[in-house]
Amino acid sequence: MPVWASELSTRLMEVAQIERLLVQLAREAERSAVFVDDDFLDGNGGPVFYDTIKKLNDPARLTPRFEELLMEKLNDQQVEALLLFFESTLGQQIIELELSAREVMFDDEVEQSVRQQVAQNGTPDLVLRMMDEGDLVERNVIDAMSSLRQFYMGQLDGGLSDFSKSDVETLLAETEEPMRIDTQIWLESFLTFAYSPLNEGDLTTYIELWETQTGKAYDTALFYAFATLFDEIGFATGQLVARLSRVSDI
């Protein structure tokens, strides 16, 4: 059974192109690292900082960890049901649309253009239905706030004493609402852009998958796997910032 379960989970990882997504997330993390370097290390992070960020977000390291976390929340029967959809022509088309959209929107000019178009034309009802059904805005905000909290906790663990746990919670409270607003706008823009080639029937079929018990289980598993990884990376990045800050002080 463990061998069979591993084969199933590997098929799901491959068909969902999780490693390709993690490659894109690594690109986004490396770009965000520039702001972390500027804000917390006065731009003095240097090769050690950027090399470590690259290693922390290395898809080759994260892919097996993600698979392990994903399968903590899914059973074989659920994986088999998911494979029936995602190995279909429509399933593969949707995965390609989602990944391509994220990769294209990595360009700031493209992202701003997409945001403006959606703001002008409105968000399709089916996209809003998907967001509402999955509570996507709130769940993304909760996970992002958790990762940010772990980043600050990592700094405290690493010996920085510029702020306290109470200060962290104050900072997070100030960040939460702006983050919620931006997340709402980004999700509406991204999903509208990604699914624009689909007709209503195909998009409805996809949404109905997420409304099943199996779809909800997969959604929960994905959020759990990503949240766990982001928390781990956030904490390690905070520790890295603390370590380099101490070296700089010396």
Side-chain angles (χ1 to χ4, degrees):
M1 284 300 295
V3 174
W4 176 238
S6 176
E7 291 173 356
L8 282 175
S9 62
T10 299
R11 275 176 62 195
L12 181 59
M13 291 284 291
E14 289 175 351
V15 77
Q17 297 192 57
I18 296 297
E19 186 166 5
R20 178 178 166 187
L21 175 56
L22 291 173
V23 168
Q24 178 56 31
L25 293 175
R27 292 177 69 200
E28 295 171 14
E30 288 178 35
R31 183 168 66 180
S32 297
V34 175
F35 299 103
V36 175
D37 185 13
D38 288 342
D39 291 345
F40 293 90
L41 296 170
D42 296 325
N44 296 316
V48 172
F49 176 73
Y50 289 100
D51 288 348
T52 306
I53 291 295
K54 189 171 184 177
K55 290 175 182 177
L56 287 174
N57 291 277
D58 183 1
R61 182 183 79 86
L62 296 181
T63 299
R65 175 67 173 142
F66 187 96
E67 182 176 351
E68 174 190 6
L69 292 167
L70 192 70
M71 294 310 297
E72 286 182 20
K73 301 295 183 180
L74 295 173
N75 59 46
D76 293 354
Q77 290 73 28
Q78 290 169 330
V79 175
E80 288 174 330
L82 291 166
L83 286 171
L84 283 175
F85 179 82
F86 286 116
E87 288 181 338
S88 71
T89 301
L90 177 58
Q92 283 298 287
Q93 180 188 10
I94 288 172
I95 289 170
E96 181 60 34
L97 288 173
E98 291 174 343
L99 290 170
S100 296
R102 182 143 197 161
E103 290 164 354
V104 169
M105 285 180 65
F106 182 70
D107 185 305
D108 288 335
E109 291 185 4
V110 173
E111 179 178 342
Q112 289 306 312
S113 176
V114 170
R115 285 179 179 240
Q116 290 171 6
Q117 289 176 27
V118 174
Q120 292 171 0
N121 301 324
T123 305
D125 290 341
L126 286 175
V127 169
L128 294 174
R129 172 182 165 185
M130 170 178 273
M131 291 174 60
D132 183 62
E133 175 64 29
D135 197 18
L136 297 185
V137 173
E138 207 57 36
R139 293 170 77 182
N140 273 283
V141 169
I142 289 171
D143 287 352
M145 294 290 289
S146 177
S147 176
L148 187 56
R149 178 179 286 105
Q150 289 305 310
F151 170 66
Y152 285 118
M153 291 299 103
Q155 291 184 57
L156 290 173
D157 182 77
L160 287 189
S161 56
D162 293 344
F163 52 85
S164 65
K165 289 184 179 180
S166 176
D167 293 329
V168 170
E169 295 306 318
T170 299
L171 287 168
L172 293 175
E174 294 171 350
T175 302
E176 184 172 355
E177 192 54 30
M179 181 182 291
R180 180 174 289 105
I181 293 170
D182 188 66
T183 299
Q184 176 83 35
I185 295 171
W186 188 88
L187 281 171
E188 289 187 28
S189 303
F190 168 69
L191 295 176
T192 299
F193 178 57
Y195 301 141
S196 58
L198 297 176
N199 60 47
E200 286 193 7
D202 286 343
L203 184 52
T204 299
T205 297
Y206 187 43
I207 293 171
E208 288 174 347
L209 167 69
W210 293 107
E211 293 174 343
T212 65
Q213 290 302 313
T214 295
K216 291 178 180 178
Y218 185 46
D219 199 26
T220 298
L222 286 172
F223 268 98
Y224 169 72
F226 279 119
T228 303
L229 287 185
F230 291 155
D231 280 355
E232 293 172 352
I233 293 170
F235 190 81
T237 302
Q239 290 180 313
L240 173 64
V241 166
R243 185 163 65 250
L244 292 177
S245 293
R246 292 201 309 273
V247 171
S248 178
D249 290 342
I250 294 172

